[in-house]
Amino acid sequence: MPDFTSSRRGKRRFDDEQTTFEKRNRHRRGLPALDALDATDGLPAGERWSTWDQSTAGERGPRPRPGWLVTELAAVDAELGVLKTGKEADVFLVRRGVPGTGRSCLLAAKRYRDAEHRMFHRDSGYLEGRRDRRSRTTRAVANRTSFGRQMIAAQWANAEFTALCRLHEAGVAVPYPVQILGTEVLLEFIGEPDGSAAPRLAETSGRGSEITGLWDQLVLALVTLARRGLAHGDLSAYNLLVHRGNIVIIDLPQVVDVIANPRGASFLDRDAANVAGWFAARGLTGVRPEPADLAAVLRQEAGIR
């Protein structure tokens, strides 16, 4: 079993990445005891009643729901800190637990920024092929009015939640999408019970044959996306997690329909080039497909030239 230990090698490239890995609180202090939660109407700052009942059936994750997920209405959501900061969204660690029972689960709460904050500055290319039936909304989004920017934030949240549901049902390794409420997406936390987040692929130090298994997993996941006419749209070693030897794909708000989007093929090619380049630079050889052939394989699976 290869030792996938943290590495600081590699330069940050994407806009939603923070300056240092430490901002993800991978090695956090021990979490507070569940019994410390105060199940009264006056909850302490940073706590709220579970929002599970505030989402409609279509805004909750696919069935069958995992056994670890807490859905009791008596549960309390306690915010434990920031996992990741970005220009478009921040991700917080949340523990949802039922006080006095010992039953709890860790969630990642991804909160997209409102209209007063900077939005996804490269969104025009991703939004092609996404059209709202309401002409007012379409015009507002195109003109970037205050209402339009709010709608864009909602589009990103809904796009990510929908993509996660679809990919989870297809068997792709993504965080289980718990629920969506407005511009907040609650996801399965990928990490350890003590709140330590799984490292990104960019933080691992494996080379050559040590990373063959990760490559095989990634190719299978990307082929599954391509067969469904999808591309991640911003894939890199920074939005792939390595959890107990398994690849998990994260950050899917900009998922692209490669058929409906006129630039779909270029997004597919860029995803392939980004991850293939990372693996090739670390000496991966003797695999099928070779990193240099990944883009062609994905195009073929997606049925595009």
Side-chain angles (χ1 to χ4, degrees):
M1 176 73 68
D3 179 20
F4 295 113
T5 55
S6 295
S7 169
R8 297 182 182 274
R9 188 178 302 166
K11 184 179 179 181
R12 314 305 297 246
R13 296 178 55 198
F14 290 83
D15 296 326
D16 61 347
E17 296 156 7
Q18 54 280 45
T19 305
T20 61
F21 292 125
E22 283 74 14
K23 286 190 179 180
R24 293 170 53 251
N25 292 329
R26 281 193 52 220
H27 306 290
R28 65 175 60 255
R29 296 177 181 178
L31 301 181
L34 179 62
D35 291 339
L37 297 179
D38 181 10
T40 65
D41 287 336
L43 293 173
E47 297 180 11
R48 66 185 184 188
W49 292 108
S50 168
T51 60
W52 178 254
D53 63 333
Q54 297 180 38
S55 296
T56 65
E59 296 171 332
R60 297 172 183 167
R63 295 179 181 273
R65 297 194 176 104
W68 54 261
L69 179 60
V70 174
T71 60
E72 290 90 331
L73 299 186
V76 172
D77 291 348
E79 192 170 298
L80 303 177
V82 178
L83 289 172
K84 175 183 175 182
T85 59
K87 292 179 181 178
E88 287 73 46
D90 295 326
V91 184
F92 298 83
L93 180 63
V94 171
R95 180 168 60 186
R96 175 170 288 177
V98 182
T101 68
R103 177 163 164 72
S104 68
C105 64
L106 291 177
L107 304 174
K110 188 168 186 177
R111 297 167 186 165
Y112 285 86
R113 297 183 182 280
D114 60 29
E116 300 304 316
H117 295 79
R118 182 178 179 182
M119 298 303 300
F120 200 89
H121 76 281
R122 296 176 298 176
D123 60 11
S124 59
Y126 297 103
L127 292 176
E128 290 187 71
R130 297 185 196 174
R131 293 292 181 264
D132 194 288
R133 293 181 179 179
R134 296 164 295 181
S135 59
R136 177 186 177 228
T137 299
T138 300
R139 289 195 304 270
V141 167
N143 295 328
R144 299 302 193 270
T145 65
S146 177
F147 172 72
R149 292 195 301 271
Q150 290 176 334
M151 290 302 98
I152 291 173
Q155 283 187 14
W156 290 125
N158 279 296
E160 178 151 38
F161 184 75
T162 300
L164 287 168
C165 289
R166 185 175 176 183
L167 295 178
H168 175 81
E169 292 178 314
V172 178
V174 295
Y176 177 77
V178 174
Q179 68 181 102
I180 182 172
L181 187 63
T183 56
E184 178 184 79
V185 181
L186 280 170
L187 311 167
E188 173 188 5
F189 169 70
I190 306 299
E192 302 304 324
D194 66 355
S196 299
R200 306 183 197 198
L201 178 62
E203 296 175 84
T204 63
S205 60
R207 296 186 63 83
S209 61
E210 295 177 333
I211 54 177
T212 298
L214 297 179
W215 172 254
D216 292 340
Q217 292 176 44
L218 180 58
V219 169
L220 179 60
L222 295 182
V223 164
T224 302
L225 265 72
R227 286 175 178 171
R228 284 158 176 76
L230 301 175
H232 183 284
D234 204 8
L235 191 63
S236 76
Y238 294 101
N239 42 36
L240 294 168
L241 302 182
V242 180
H243 184 49
R244 301 177 183 177
N246 297 311
I247 284 279
V248 180
I249 302 176
I250 61 171
D251 293 338
L252 287 148
Q254 69 292 313
V255 65
V256 174
D257 184 325
V258 299
I259 305 302
N261 191 307
R263 306 184 198 176
S266 64
F267 283 113
L268 202 66
D269 290 346
R270 189 175 70 181
D271 282 354
N274 286 341
V275 294
W278 188 90
F279 278 92
R282 281 149 189 82
L284 182 68
T285 57
V287 291
R288 293 289 180 272
E290 291 282 350
D293 299 329
L294 180 59
V297 169
L298 298 183
R299 277 176 170 253
Q300 180 177 359
E301 295 292 345
I304 58 178
R305 295 182 178 179

